[in-house]
């Protein structure tokens, strides 16, 4: 899901995840009418007019191509979408034909019978072959596709070029160097966090787990088991939580921070480094550090490697209840096409999910390059399980981090408890 101002967060950072409806009487419509009105729900962004302009052009072309067909677009608030979607799944008469949704919502929506399987259509679509693999994973459940990726978002390392210059520092090339550099900054400039981190910043912490060879969970086909308490995952968790202290980011101030808090601190000139997304660019540009920062991929464990980042973003899918399948799929493809994604990048800063379109965006806007490199190096996604929304809403991982940061529990004890909660959720999801 989206996670920041330019992407109209989202994502939470972490990330933001909707609560999927629990029951549904929805069933696939057997009609495939070739005329009439298509209803579309898209998310209301902060500063929505540029998005509307792009969508209006897509709709105009679609209506011109399909005689006696009209499209009604409604922009719905992100924070109330869970209720709207639940009502739509349970009452097809109130449902749209096409809908935008957060990529962490996919598995839950599929379990509740709301999304149409478009595996065949997506495979036949000539542009789909250039879709980023992780973005494609975000619309895939049990090997079937339930939508088309709309945009993707990842995080990288923002750093203060003026601070680095004054202290004779170079951008860190490993996670160990990252920690050392953070402490050097804070020692020389006690008014700054070296690397501002957050105990409620799940997707800022996960690259440390993944870079150390850990995973959130293992499994597939809807059957998952937590792996957050594995040796490798604990090593990554320890690396992240060790950054909370008086020598970098004091626990009393940083334990409760989320992703938006860390970017706000960096943009306000209160930190030497921060882990932020491509979607954080606008906020940083509007802050005190404008003109005095740069971005590089977050380093991994070995020199020159890039830590795997969480691939956030949104998708667009067709509801199973539509009575205009062919038209709805066509509109979905037009809304997520290369041409539309390129225009959405220009209008909203949404990173394209097509590799070739993203490369063009990076050539046009230099700030995109470190994020494009991060995507190319390989990203990670949450388990494709409807249990994830429960795990996310119950703050299982932030609680684990904060218990470690506060000294209430060891890494081993806190991660074991988190694993138990995750497994309970996976079990209840079926």
């Amino acid at each position: 899901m989206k996670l920041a101002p330019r992407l109209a967060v989202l994502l939470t950072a972490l990330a933001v995840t909707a609560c999927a409806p629990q029951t549904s009487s929805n069933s696939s419509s057997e009609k495939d009418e070739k005329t009439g009105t298509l209803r579309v729900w898209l998310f209301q962004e902060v500063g929505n007019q540029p998005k509307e302009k792009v969508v209006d052009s897509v709709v105009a072309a679609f209506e011109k191509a399909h005689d006696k067909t009209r499209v009604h677009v409604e922009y719905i608030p992100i924070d109330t979408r869970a209720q709207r979607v639940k009502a739509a799944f349970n009452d097809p008469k109130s449902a749209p034909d096409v809908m935008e949704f957060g990529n962490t919502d996919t598995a839950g929506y599929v379990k509740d019978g709301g999304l149409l399987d478009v595996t065949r259509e997506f495979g036949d679509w000539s542009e789909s072959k250039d879709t980023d693999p992780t973005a494609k994973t975000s619309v895939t459940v049990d090997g079937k596709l339930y939508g088309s990726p709309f945009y993707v978002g990842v995080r990288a390392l923002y750093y203060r070029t003026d601070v680095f210059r004054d202290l004779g520092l170079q951008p860190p090339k490993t996670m160990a160097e990252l920690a050392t550099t953070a402490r050097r900054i804070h020692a020389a400039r006690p008014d700054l966090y070296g690397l501002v981190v957050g105990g409620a910043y799940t997707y800022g912490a996960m690259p440390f787990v993944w870079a150390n060879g850990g995973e959130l969970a293992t499994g597939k086909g809807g059957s998952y088991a937590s792996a957050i308490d594995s040796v490798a995952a604990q090593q990554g968790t320890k690396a992240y939580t060790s950054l909370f202290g008086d020598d970098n980011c004091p626990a009393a101030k940083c334990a409760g921070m989320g992703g938006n808090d860390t970017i706000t601190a960096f943009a306000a000139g209160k930190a030497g480094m921060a882990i932020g997304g491509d979607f954080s660019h606008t906020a940083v540009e509007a802050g005190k550090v404008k003109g005095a920062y740069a971005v590089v991929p977050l380093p991994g464990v070995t020199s020159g490697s890039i830590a795997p980042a969480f691939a956030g973003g949104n998708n667009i899918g067709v509801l199973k209840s539509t009575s205009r399948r062919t038209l709805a799929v066509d509109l979905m493809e037009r809304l997520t096409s290369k041409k539309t994604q390129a225009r959405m990048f220009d209008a909203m800063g949404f990173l394209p999910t097509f590799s070739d379109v993203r490369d063009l965006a990076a050539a046009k806007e230099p700030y995109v390059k470190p994020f494009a490199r991060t995507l190319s190096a390989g990203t990670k996604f949450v388990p494709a399980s409807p249990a994830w929304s429960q795990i996310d809403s119950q703050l299982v991982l932030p609680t684990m981090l904060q218990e470690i940061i506060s000294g209430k529990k060891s890494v081993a004890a806190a991660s074991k408890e988190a694993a138990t909660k995750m497994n309970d959720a996976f079990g209840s999801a079926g």
Side-chain angles (χ1 to χ4, degrees), residues 35-42 55-75 96-99 324 327-328 330-332 334-335:
T35 60
T37 299
L38 286 176
R39 296 180 61 201
V40 179
W41 286 358
L42 300 176
V55 172
D56 286 348
S57 68
V58 174
V59 168
F62 176 85
E63 291 181 342
K64 184 176 181 179
H66 298 283
D67 190 32
K68 298 181 181 180
T69 299
R70 293 293 177 264
V71 177
H72 175 72
V73 180
E74 181 179 356
Y75 293 90
D97 299 275
V98 178
M99 178 179 74
R324 297 175 175 83
L327 289 172
D330 182 32
L331 183 56
M332 175 193 76
R334 288 170 182 260
L335 286 169

Side-chain angles (χ1 to χ4, degrees), residues 198-248:
Y201 191 7
T202 302
Y203 298 110
M206 286 304 98
F208 290 77
V209 172
W210 290 323
N212 279 277
E215 297 288 350
L216 290 173
T218 58
K220 60 181 181 178
S223 178
Y224 287 90
S226 176
I228 198 63
D229 59 342
S230 69
V231 173
Q234 286 188 47
Q235 187 174 350
T237 299
K238 183 177 181 180
Y240 184 74
T241 55
S242 68
L243 295 165
F244 293 80
D246 292 340
D247 58 353
N248 175 52

Side-chain angles (χ1 to χ4, degrees), residues 14-257:
L14 160 272
V16 176
T17 302
C19 297
Q22 298 302 307
T23 60
S24 175
S25 60
N26 189 27
S27 60
S28 181
S29 171
E30 304 204 352
K31 297 180 181 179
D32 190 11
E33 300 171 11
K34 300 302 191 293
T35 60
T37 299
L38 286 176
R39 296 180 61 201
V40 179
W41 286 358
L42 300 176
F43 288 149
Q44 176 80 35
E45 311 288 349
V46 176
N48 201 56
Q49 192 170 8
K51 180 177 182 178
E52 292 179 27
K53 187 174 180 180
V54 175
V55 172
D56 286 348
S57 68
V58 174
V59 168
F62 176 85
E63 291 181 342
K64 184 176 181 179
H66 298 283
D67 190 32
K68 298 181 181 180
T69 299
R70 293 293 177 264
V71 177
H72 175 72
V73 180
E74 181 179 356
Y75 293 90
I76 66 173
I78 296 171
D79 56 0
T80 60
R81 72 191 189 283
Q83 297 91 326
R84 293 288 300 272
V85 172
K86 180 176 182 177
F89 285 2
N90 287 321
D91 179 15
K93 292 181 180 179
S94 71
D97 299 275
V98 178
M99 178 179 74
E100 180 179 357
F101 55 94
N103 63 9
T104 57
D105 295 332
T106 306
Y109 288 176
V110 170
K111 179 188 177 184
D112 290 289
L115 295 177
L116 182 69
D117 176 358
V118 294
T119 305
R120 175 177 55 80
E121 291 94 336
F122 190 87
D124 291 341
W125 185 26
S126 62
E127 295 189 354
S128 67
K129 66 182 185 303
D130 295 322
T131 300
D132 178 90
T134 304
K136 185 175 179 180
T137 297
S138 77
V139 292
T140 304
V141 177
D142 294 340
K144 297 179 180 180
L145 279 76
Y146 293 89
S148 179
F150 187 32
Y151 67 82
V152 66
V154 292
R155 293 166 179 78
L157 182 68
Y158 285 73
Y159 70 96
R160 289 275 297 277
T161 52
D162 55 341
V163 172
F164 273 59
R165 181 184 63 248
D166 293 345
L167 299 181
L169 300 172
Q170 294 296 320
K173 295 182 179 180
T174 66
M175 281 193 163
E177 287 183 15
L178 176 68
T180 300
T181 302
R183 294 185 174 99
R184 286 184 62 184
I185 292 172
H186 188 66
R189 292 282 304 273
D191 59 315
L192 297 178
Y193 302 121
L195 169 64
V196 60
V197 286
Y201 191 7
T202 302
Y203 298 110
M206 286 304 98
F208 290 77
V209 172
W210 290 323
N212 279 277
E215 297 288 350
L216 290 173
T218 58
K220 60 181 181 178
S223 178
Y224 287 90
S226 176
I228 198 63
D229 59 342
S230 69
V231 173
Q234 286 188 47
Q235 187 174 350
T237 299
K238 183 177 181 180
Y240 184 74
T241 55
S242 68
L243 295 165
F244 293 80
D246 292 340
D247 58 353
N248 175 52
C249 201
K253 294 182 178 180
C254 302
M257 285 189 180

